[in-house]
Amino acid sequence: MEKRAVFRAGSLAYLLILPQLLLVFVFFYWPTGAALYWAFTLEMPWGGGNQWVGLENFSAVLNDAKYWSSVAASCVFAFAATALALAQALVLALFVDRQLRGSKSFRSFYVWPYAVAAPAVSLAFRFIFAPETGLVAFVNQWWPGLWNPSINGAQAMTLVVLCFAWKWIGYNFIFLLAALQSIPRALTEASAMDGAGPLRRMLDIQLPLLTPTFFFLLVINLTESFVGADSFGIVDILTEGGPANATNLLVYKIYSDGFKGLDYSGAAAQSIILMLLVMVLTFIQFRWVERRVHYK
Amino acid sequence: MIERTPIFNAVTYAIMLGGLLVVLLPVWMAFTAATQTVEAVNRIPFSFALGDELLTNLGAAWQRGDFGTKLANSFILATGVTLGKVMIAALSAFSIVYFNYRLRTIFFWVIFVTLMLPLEVRIVPTYAIAANALAPLQAILDVTGISALIAVLSGVQVSLQWNLLNSYVGLILPLVATATGTFLYRQFFMTVPDELAEAAKMDGAGAFRFFVEILMPLSRTNMLALATIMFVYAWNQYLWPLLVTTDRGTYGTAIIALKQMVPNPYGGLPDWNVAMAAALIVMLPPVVVVALMQRWFVRGLIATEK
């Protein structure tokens, strides 16, 4: 790990790293510290300063039924979106990796959802799945009111999940294909010689060797769908947390409580809880990344 | 390896075509809608026939979203974040990898931890910092008693104030303050043979010269990859620009202009054709960048995250 030929450490070493440390301190550590401070205090009205309230903010958050419905919505969203995004990408990667003629041109299309902005694709999804126009509207013609995500919470959730899963196909595909391509050809050739067809090789050779990458992506997708930027953008454009809070994900609730409800302490307490969740997920990821199988 | 599996090959192509349909459908539909008139776009069932209104709709979207200013702002944001990241990350990774000092491991972890908590989770306090970026310094001065000292000595009350709201600096800096790039460089610097630095030293080159003339040219591929990733990341930012720019007319980015494109359901026929034209305008730049840089960016993406 360590480099042998290092330069003599002088002030230059500190000077080089200073900009990054300053940025990280001002825009990461200080705000995180402020969140902790706010979570345990309550701002007094009319500028009376902050009063220490211990765990009161947390108990207020945890005793709020709306918070738990938001937790439930977030869990449904995160697991459904992750499952769908990974499943689609996995199937595509497995088949593209067969490297038939023309696979390469398919490949470059599968990558592009990565580059498309989540709010832009949300706008497109809002049109495609609008109840009165677009692609799905015809079902309302032969059964009025069958599809309306602006009233039906379950349908709104489906829509949000579909949008996230679409956006994350690209990212997952890139990683899964890279992992597939690093599987030694000798392995596949040997099993082909033993009479295994392509489907059998997928199930018995490629899938087991993909597990490390797959678990890595599982954690990344879960983290992203719980706290990521895309979840926020998708919800804000598609549903704004509605109808009746059916898609009010945790990351959206922090924003609306903090900036629309101006409840800084409550939002900070929610932030701390989410931070803990992300830490747990990251910890799990490290366990998996450490155990990664190296097949080079 | 040659195999004859005609049926399975057909299945493969069917699945790949299905995937293509899934990936293309939203974008293709947005494009079709953007070429149609308001009446055509509201017809049920939706017709995939292309209209000839593309330029009209693009023009209408351009005007309604004020995309001249907004796209310029998005470019400033994306280039600012990209350049800042590519440079600052290279410098700090160089310091961590090539210098031997006691704090290097601590610094490494201090930077590394920032990977864990995305901006969205600590959004409220980060916003407070943007309202006054000098608040930490002020607090340090207050706590250490320096500001009291200054007040006694000179009679001046120290109150530092640097508001970043509605400024490009405020848009850019918090997005640069993460560890992604530092890691990409670090991983790469670790694979550079030690002999190169030794040889450079023997020839009398200082650390900085080695960095500029040997290490940077070697990392060109990594820089391109990082630049692509950061450009896409910054361009597609939504929540942060939404909060920091209250003066949308001057500092708003293209992405946050999309929200106002959602047609009003009570104002006659919803003009989804214009909304879709706006979506196309906004999604184009990062897609082009990724298409051009695909080779480097795929490698870089995989190296950053593992």
Side-chain angles (χ1 to χ4, degrees), chain A residues 1-10 12-14 16-17 19-21 23-32 34-35 38 88 91-92 95-96 98 100-103 106-121 123-128 130 132-135 137-138 141 166-167 169 171 174-175 178 185 188-189 192 196-199 201-202 213 216 220 227-229 232-233 236-237 240 251 254-255 258-259 264 267 271 274-275 278-279 282 285-286 292, chain B residues 1 3 5 8-9 12-13 15-17 19-20 22-27 29-30 33 41-42 44 46 48 88-89 91-92 94-101 103-104 107 109-114 116-118 120-129 133 135-136 139 164 173-174 176-178 182 186 189-190 192-195 197-198 201 205-208 210 229 232 236 238-239 242-243 255 258-259 261-262 270 272 275-276 279 283 286-287 290 294 297-298 301-302 305-306:
Chain A
M1 284 294 272
E2 299 280 297
K3 281 266 173 196
R4 264 186 301 129
V6 278
F7 294 96
R8 206 176 301 119
L12 182 63
Y14 293 93
L16 289 171
I17 205 169
Q20 172 101 56
L21 284 180
L23 276 179
V24 164
F25 172 71
V26 173
F27 293 107
F28 183 86
Y29 285 99
W30 190 270
T32 311
W38 285 348
Q88 292 180 97
V91 170
L92 291 179
F95 283 93
V96 166
R98 294 198 64 216
L100 299 184
R101 190 175 300 161
S103 294
F106 282 104
R107 194 176 69 184
S108 42
F109 282 108
Y110 298 155
V111 172
W112 85 352
Y114 170 81
V116 173
V121 70
L123 194 60
F125 266 70
R126 190 162 171 165
F127 166 59
I128 295 169
E132 71 281 357
T133 62
L135 205 58
F138 72 92
Q141 276 199 330
W166 186 88
K167 165 78 184 130
I169 291 179
Y171 184 90
I174 293 170
F175 277 85
R185 282 186 70 77
T188 23
E189 280 168 7
L199 185 63
R201 293 202 300 269
M202 274 181 197
T213 311
F216 161 78
I220 292 278
V227 296
F232 178 84
D236 194 45
I237 297 276
E240 294 193 336
V251 62
I254 288 184
Y255 161 80
F259 291 103
Y264 278 20
S271 286
L274 262 193
M275 285 179 191
V278 179
M279 283 180 189
T282 317
Q285 178 188 332
F286 269 86
R292 253 185 81 223
Chain B
M1 191 164 70
E3 271 185 308
T5 48
F8 201 65
N9 284 1
T12 304
Y13 280 117
I15 286 176
M16 290 201 296
L17 276 175
L20 194 63
V22 169
V23 168
L24 279 182
L25 183 79
V27 183
M29 223 177 124
V41 87
N42 280 294
I44 303 173
F46 182 76
F48 277 93
I88 289 175
L91 292 177
S92 55
F94 180 55
S95 170
I96 287 174
V97 175
Y98 278 95
F99 290 87
N100 197 2
Y101 51 103
L103 288 173
R104 80 200 278 213
F107 284 171
W109 283 103
V110 161
I111 297 173
F112 182 79
V113 167
T114 62
M116 291 208 316
L117 300 176
E120 279 67 26
V121 184
R122 52 196 160 86
I123 193 71
V124 182
T126 310
Y127 177 78
I129 271 289
L164 296 181
L173 281 189
V176 180
T178 57
T182 315
R186 180 181 170 274
F189 289 169
M190 292 304 229
V192 174
D194 291 347
E195 287 74 16
E198 274 165 20
K201 253 167 113 175
F208 201 70
F210 168 72
I229 295 168
V232 172
N236 291 349
Y238 183 67
L239 179 54
L242 195 68
L243 290 174
I255 296 279
L258 281 179
K259 183 86 185 271
M261 290 294 167
V262 177
W272 282 109
M276 290 301 105
M283 67 172 74
V287 171
V290 164
Q294 192 156 336
F297 123 86
V298 168
L301 192 66
I302 288 164
E305 303 277 354
K306 275 190 188 168

Side-chain angles (χ1 to χ4, degrees), chain B residues 141 145-158:
Chain B
L141 291 183
I146 293 176
S147 43
L149 192 66
I150 294 175
V152 170
L153 289 181
S154 63
V156 181
Q157 199 68 41
V158 181

Side-chain angles (χ1 to χ4, degrees), chain B residues 108-265:
Chain B
F108 173 74
W109 283 103
V110 161
I111 297 173
F112 182 79
V113 167
T114 62
L115 275 183
M116 291 208 316
L117 300 176
L119 186 62
E120 279 67 26
V121 184
R122 52 196 160 86
I123 193 71
V124 182
T126 310
Y127 177 78
I129 271 289
N132 181 11
L134 291 179
L137 188 58
Q138 171 83 45
I140 290 169
L141 291 183
D142 286 350
V143 168
T144 52
I146 293 176
S147 43
L149 192 66
I150 294 175
V152 170
L153 289 181
S154 63
V156 181
Q157 199 68 41
V158 181
S159 72
L160 301 167
Q161 178 72 31
W162 186 25
N163 188 338
L164 296 181
L165 303 181
N166 288 319
S167 73
Y168 292 121
V169 180
L171 268 174
I172 292 169
L173 281 189
L175 296 174
V176 180
T178 57
T180 6
T182 315
F183 273 85
L184 185 63
Y185 280 118
R186 180 181 170 274
Q187 306 296 65
F188 173 70
F189 289 169
M190 292 304 229
T191 67
V192 174
D194 291 347
E195 287 74 16
L196 272 180
E198 274 165 20
K201 253 167 113 175
M202 220 175 271
D203 288 347
F208 201 70
R209 181 124 186 233
F210 168 72
F211 177 70
V212 174
E213 287 184 11
I214 298 175
L215 207 53
M216 281 301 100
L218 281 177
S219 357
R220 199 180 299 140
T221 336
N222 292 59
M223 271 192 207
L224 284 177
L226 181 64
T228 316
I229 295 168
M230 291 323 293
F231 186 88
V232 172
Y233 165 80
W235 184 279
N236 291 349
Q237 280 296 316
Y238 183 67
L239 179 54
W240 185 244
L242 195 68
L243 290 174
V244 172
T245 61
T246 40
D247 178 8
R248 298 275 157 75
T250 325
Y251 292 106
T253 63
I255 296 279
I256 58 177
L258 281 179
K259 183 86 185 271
Q260 77 215 39
M261 290 294 167
V262 177
N264 175 7

Side-chain angles (χ1 to χ4, degrees), chain A residues 283-294:
Chain A
F283 178 74
I284 296 173
Q285 178 188 332
F286 269 86
R287 302 282 305 191
W288 280 105
V289 170
E290 270 168 35
R291 284 188 203 168
R292 253 185 81 223
V293 187
H294 291 279

